[in-house]
Amino acid sequence: MRNFSTLAICCLLIIVVVGSVRADPTVEVTGLSVAKPDQANKYNQSKAANIPAGTHIFFEIADDTRNFIKLDAKASKLSAFLDNKGTDLAKTKKKGWGSSPNWLGSFPKITDDQHAVRFEIKSAACPTKGATKLTVGATMVLLAGSDLTTEKQIDVEFKLDGKITIGPVPFEIKRIEKGWGSWERAVTLFTNQPVDGIKSIKFFDAEGKEIESKQTSKSTSNKNINLTYSLKKKVDKATIEIQYYQKVETLNVPVKRDIGVGL
């Protein structure tokens, strides 16, 4: 009887451990476009209407158990991008947008539920005539968060060097200005620590009603970060609510696909 009980406990432990292991994110090819460039067009348009020149492959990385925060373009790496005729599509002189590498689309998108990241791998070149397959290899670096937490700080005065002590990082108020257009107030928050884990910052008036706001700019210099929020209501103090992930993890997701006409 004792041996049976011991065996049952061991089996239960195995089930618990296996059940707690997260599955890897899934990778899906969602689209493909190939279009010859129009050499007479100075904006690098293609000869096919409304389709960008070159080769563009669209992907989605999805995971129902994780909340994606961002795709780290600088850390992600392309290892292969070629057709079955041996043409290396990774060799292109066209520069990427901003700090993005030239092989990655400019605007990766995180879905509203944060369970998927959509992006494109691209080349200014086209496959060789007669090619029937493309091979892509890359490592996409993603940040994902868990353990979402909300904290509030009551009656924060909008004054220079005012302190915000809630959330994962401390902030100081560095600038208070009149907003543009219908925005009555602009407040700039400064920190020298990473803010990737912050999902949202909201402002509430003295009656507890949320003040309509939006982040209008983010500037980074070395480790210094300035976040500017525009508010629809002019107030001298507000309750600030910060929603953030207590745990932020870095995921290295391999993307290895042979792609033909059928996706």
Side-chain angles (χ1 to χ4, degrees), residues 78-92 123-128 135:
L78 180 71
S79 56
F81 191 6
L82 62 156
D83 65 23
N84 61 313
K85 295 284 189 177
T87 303
D88 189 352
L89 300 176
K91 291 183 178 180
T92 174
S123 171
C126 291
T128 302
T135 297

Side-chain angles (χ1 to χ4, degrees), residues 75-134:
S76 298
K77 302 295 181 185
L78 180 71
S79 56
F81 191 6
L82 62 156
D83 65 23
N84 61 313
K85 295 284 189 177
T87 303
D88 189 352
L89 300 176
K91 291 183 178 180
T92 174
K93 295 181 180 180
K94 186 174 175 58
K95 294 183 178 180
W97 178 265
S99 60
S100 295
N102 59 4
W103 56 269
L104 184 64
S106 303
F107 302 105
K109 175 179 173 57
I110 295 175
T111 56
D112 291 341
D113 63 8
Q114 291 190 272
H115 290 313
V117 180
R118 295 168 182 165
F119 61 96
E120 64 175 291
I121 292 177
K122 63 186 180 68
S123 171
C126 291
T128 302
K129 186 175 182 179
T132 58
K133 185 174 69 174
L134 298 170

Side-chain angles (χ1 to χ4, degrees), residues 24-243:
D24 292 332
T26 60
V27 180
E28 179 186 6
V29 179
T30 59
L32 168 66
S33 73
V34 178
K36 289 183 177 181
D38 182 355
Q39 303 297 340
N41 188 293
K42 63 181 179 180
Y43 299 109
N44 196 38
Q45 298 296 309
S46 74
K47 292 182 177 181
N50 302 319
I51 297 177
T55 305
H56 299 252
I57 305 174
F58 301 86
F59 293 87
E60 179 182 270
I61 295 175
D63 189 332
D64 290 338
T65 68
R66 291 180 169 92
N67 295 293
F68 291 116
I69 297 171
K70 75 172 185 177
L71 187 158
D72 190 333
K74 288 185 178 180
S76 298
K77 302 295 181 185
L78 180 71
S79 56
F81 191 6
L82 62 156
D83 65 23
N84 61 313
K85 295 284 189 177
T87 303
D88 189 352
L89 300 176
K91 291 183 178 180
T92 174
K93 295 181 180 180
K94 186 174 175 58
K95 294 183 178 180
W97 178 265
S99 60
S100 295
N102 59 4
W103 56 269
L104 184 64
S106 303
F107 302 105
K109 175 179 173 57
I110 295 175
T111 56
D112 291 341
D113 63 8
Q114 291 190 272
H115 290 313
V117 180
R118 295 168 182 165
F119 61 96
E120 64 175 291
I121 292 177
K122 63 186 180 68
S123 171
C126 291
T128 302
K129 186 175 182 179
T132 58
K133 185 174 69 174
L134 298 170
T135 297
V136 173
T139 300
M140 308 308 297
V141 180
L142 306 174
L143 291 186
S146 57
D147 299 332
L148 189 62
T149 301
T150 301
E151 293 184 16
K152 288 185 178 182
Q153 187 168 332
I154 308 297
D155 292 343
V156 177
E157 289 191 48
F158 288 165
K159 63 179 182 179
L160 294 182
D161 299 325
K163 309 294 183 184
I164 300 173
T165 57
I166 57 172
V169 302
F171 284 104
E172 292 182 5
I173 297 175
K174 280 300 180 185
R175 195 158 52 246
I176 306 155
E177 301 173 300
K178 186 183 185 308
W180 289 89
S182 62
W183 299 99
E184 295 290 336
R185 176 75 81 194
V187 180
T188 299
L189 310 180
F190 165 83
T191 186
N192 57 8
Q193 298 182 33
V195 297
D196 293 325
I198 295 177
K199 183 178 181 181
S200 66
I201 296 179
K202 297 180 180 180
F203 303 82
F204 297 82
D205 62 19
E207 286 72 42
K209 183 178 179 180
E210 183 178 352
I211 303 169
E212 184 180 348
S213 64
K214 69 174 181 177
Q215 183 182 311
T216 48
S217 72
K218 176 182 178 181
S219 62
T220 304
S221 177
N222 296 323
K223 293 184 178 181
N224 297 326
I225 300 172
N226 288 287
L227 305 177
T228 298
Y229 288 84
S230 293
L231 283 67
K232 282 284 179 132
K233 185 176 182 179
K234 183 179 180 181
V235 291
D236 295 321
K237 62 181 179 180
T239 292
I240 296 180
E241 176 188 285
I242 297 181
Q243 195 173 44

